[in-house]
Amino acid sequence: MKTIVLYYSAGGATEAAAKALASEFSADIERIDTLTPYPEDEEAMIALGQKEAETGATPAIKPLAHDLSGYDTVIIGTPTWWYTMAPAVLTLLKSYDFKGKTVLPFQTHVGQPGHVIPDMRKELKGSMLFSGLSLEYGKDKKLTPRSESEYKEWTAAVRKELKI
Ligand SMILES: Cc1cc2nc3c(=O)[nH]c(=O)nc-3n(C[C@H](O)[C@H](O)[C@H](O)COP(=O)(O)O)c2cc1C
């Protein structure tokens, strides 16, 4: 059974979680990047992100370096952007075929998780979906204690049920 973690991260939080999960499950890992970078100016970036997330935009992403046909389990991570997944992750889910694979979605957020996991599920019809993991970061940029324990419970459940 081979596992890969695919994630998008603008500020590093989702990347930190993705790296922890990859090490936890001895999985390969790849970051998703948009072809056109977002504006460096934070306000401009947030405004564009809002527009894209609200309109369901699918910005072009760089092709994956890994061949997904070699993996049966895929962990997909996204920050929360305006209550849904980051647009780059929507592009990923629409561009690659995850049918027949076991997919484990996770999100990071700062208190408004929105409907990220259900939105990801909608795009992943035909995959075997494991329950999603929602990780909340506090003002100190650390996982909240509740999310810390959810992380532990979720990874234990994954290990038990998927034997990875
Ligand atoms: C454009 C944009 C929209 C966001 N919308 C939400 C939101 O709806 N709910 C929330 O809790 N956090 C929201 N956030 C905060 C991020 O989801 C959160 O900080 C996340 O952990 C960032 O992950 P990253 O560091 O990997 O990019 C938003 C951030 C950005 C840049």
Side-chain angles (χ1 to χ4, degrees):
M1 188 118 130
K2 254 182 110 183
T3 305
I4 188 165
V5 181
L6 304 176
Y7 69 95
Y8 175 76
S9 180
T14 315
E15 180 164 72
K19 285 184 173 165
L21 290 168
S23 125
E24 185 102 35
F25 297 117
S26 308
D28 291 336
I29 182 165
E30 184 166 348
R31 180 191 173 111
I32 299 152
D33 269 318
T34 51
L35 275 186
T36 311
Y38 283 94
E40 297 224 345
D41 175 70
E42 205 183 331
E43 254 177 57
M45 184 265 202
I46 289 177
L48 178 58
Q50 175 168 22
K51 197 172 134 214
E52 284 188 348
E54 284 178 349
T55 57
T58 49
I61 55 172
K62 294 179 188 162
L64 291 177
H66 290 82
D67 176 3
L68 290 186
S69 67
Y71 297 89
D72 42 27
T73 306
V74 188
I75 300 173
I76 303 178
T78 181
T80 305
W81 277 24
W82 300 102
Y83 314 107
T84 188
M85 72 195 95
V89 175
L90 182 60
T91 309
L92 174 86
L93 300 189
K94 286 189 183 292
S95 316
Y96 289 88
D97 188 6
F98 295 96
K99 284 196 184 71
K101 298 185 190 300
T102 302
V103 180
L104 295 77
F106 79 92
Q107 71 175 132
T108 66
H109 66 93
V110 291
Q112 299 288 331
H115 33 80
V116 173
I117 304 290
D119 290 351
M120 291 175 82
R121 284 179 184 283
K122 254 184 251 160
E123 297 299 327
L124 285 162
K125 288 207 177 93
S127 311
M128 284 160 291
L129 276 151
F130 198 81
S131 66
L133 174 65
S134 185
L135 295 173
E136 180 182 0
Y137 285 83
K139 288 207 174 71
D140 56 2
K141 303 216 164 174
K142 287 197 184 129
L143 279 185
T144 60
R146 201 171 122 202
S147 286
E148 283 262 14
S149 54
E150 278 176 14
Y151 177 93
K152 283 187 192 129
E153 279 166 31
W154 189 82
T155 49
V158 169
R159 190 161 291 123
K160 189 172 162 214
E161 291 192 27
L162 302 181
K163 315 264 184 274
I164 59 174

